Amino acid sequence: MSRASSATVVDASRVLRAEFEPYLPLMDFFAELLGPRTEVVLHDTSDLSRSIVALTNGHVSGRSVGGPATDLVLKVLQNHEHDDRDYLANYLAESRTGGTFRSSTFFIRDAGGDVVGMLCLNIDDEPLTRARDLLAAITATTGLVKGAALGPGSDAGPAAGSVAMPVAERLSMNVDELALDGVARIVAAQGVEPHRMTPDEKVAAVREIERAGVFLLKGAVAQVAEALHVSEPTVYRYVRQVRQGG
């Protein structure tokens, strides 16, 4: 199989799937077209713990080849919500260090239509959003209408034209971080301290963890057991209950 140029780092320890061959030359192309603030990532879904098999401009998120899948990758594989789509475009992603990106993912499928890989672009628009917010601030008007906040000290809220977007993906540095982040967010969302949860509340948490695809990762059961203050056999029992519709 052909390899991308030196600008793209390819995991030399992996034998890349034939389906990836057309996408490797595109990685340098996208990076050169969109500039050094664009990271291009090729994921192989056969091993989610080290799914990044090729990477261009990895400095954007701080990741490297051999890194794990993202929470979005897990959800796509677990829930099959996007089986009828070829790609997802322009959603908000966030790195472990708090950086935000405008991201897009193209699904790579095998001859049977199953997703075997993903080509992802993560664009750091921070300079552009700062410029947008500055322009919005200096061109803002007070809006003399009923209910408008006037006068010094009023909270103008977000800059005009800006829209708060939910984070759709988090770019984790390693597989333990990916599992821990997913489990921690879901457990925290239950609104009850784990040691105070009832068995039903813990099953509800496991149901959400299952929906997030976290159990696709090796070692996830141990992470969930620790987070919920239960034994690993109990987590397995909860998972069976959830998968059986309980």
Side-chain angles (χ1 to χ4, degrees), residues 4-245:
S5 77
S6 57
T8 293
V9 179
V10 180
D11 189 345
S13 69
R14 306 283 289 277
V15 177
L16 300 190
R17 299 182 63 109
E19 290 90 348
F20 296 163
E21 186 169 4
Y23 299 95
L24 284 172
L26 290 175
M27 297 182 70
D28 282 340
F29 169 70
F30 283 132
E32 188 163 342
L33 176 68
L34 299 172
R37 288 183 175 272
T38 297
E39 177 185 69
V40 189
V41 190
L42 181 62
H43 286 281
D44 182 343
T45 61
S46 66
D47 187 345
L48 298 173
S49 67
R50 55 187 191 113
S51 70
I52 299 177
V53 293
L55 182 65
T56 316
N57 290 338
H59 63 273
V60 171
S61 71
R63 293 178 298 167
S64 57
V65 293
T70 67
D71 53 355
L72 178 65
V73 174
L74 299 182
K75 290 173 187 175
V76 167
L77 296 177
Q78 176 71 17
N79 301 313
H80 303 282
E81 293 176 350
H82 305 296
D83 283 354
D84 60 341
R85 302 188 63 174
D86 293 323
Y87 60 85
L88 302 173
N90 295 318
Y91 56 84
L92 181 63
E94 182 179 68
S95 70
R96 178 69 172 180
T97 57
T100 55
F101 310 98
R102 178 165 50 91
S103 298
S104 300
T105 293
F106 186 89
F107 303 132
I108 303 173
R109 302 179 187 273
D110 62 14
D114 293 325
V115 174
V116 295
M118 300 183 191
L119 184 67
C120 304
L121 276 70
N122 302 306
I123 303 174
D124 179 6
D125 282 335
E126 193 264 344
L128 296 177
T129 55
R130 277 194 289 113
R132 178 203 64 195
D133 292 345
L134 176 60
L135 287 171
I138 63 178
T139 60
T141 57
T142 56
L144 297 176
V145 294
K146 184 178 180 180
L150 297 175
S154 63
D155 184 2
S162 65
V163 178
M165 296 175 61
V167 173
E169 181 177 34
R170 286 179 170 80
L171 313 180
S172 300
M173 301 293 285
N174 56 64
V175 68
D176 288 337
E177 180 183 288
L178 174 61
L180 280 170
D181 282 354
V183 172
R185 286 197 307 273
I186 291 168
V187 171
Q190 306 305 304
V192 182
E193 291 294 327
H195 66 277
R196 295 180 180 274
M197 284 184 178
T198 65
D200 286 346
E201 288 171 332
K202 291 182 179 181
V203 169
V206 168
R207 183 177 295 109
E208 291 305 310
I209 292 168
E210 166 78 356
R211 282 175 48 83
V214 174
F215 289 115
L216 294 173
L217 301 172
K218 295 177 182 177
V221 169
Q223 304 276 20
V224 173
E226 183 176 354
L228 291 179
H229 297 188
V230 297
S231 67
E232 291 185 29
T234 298
V235 173
Y236 281 114
R237 177 163 54 84
Y238 289 162
V239 171
R240 285 196 300 272
Q241 183 177 337
V242 165
R243 291 176 178 173
Q244 292 169 1

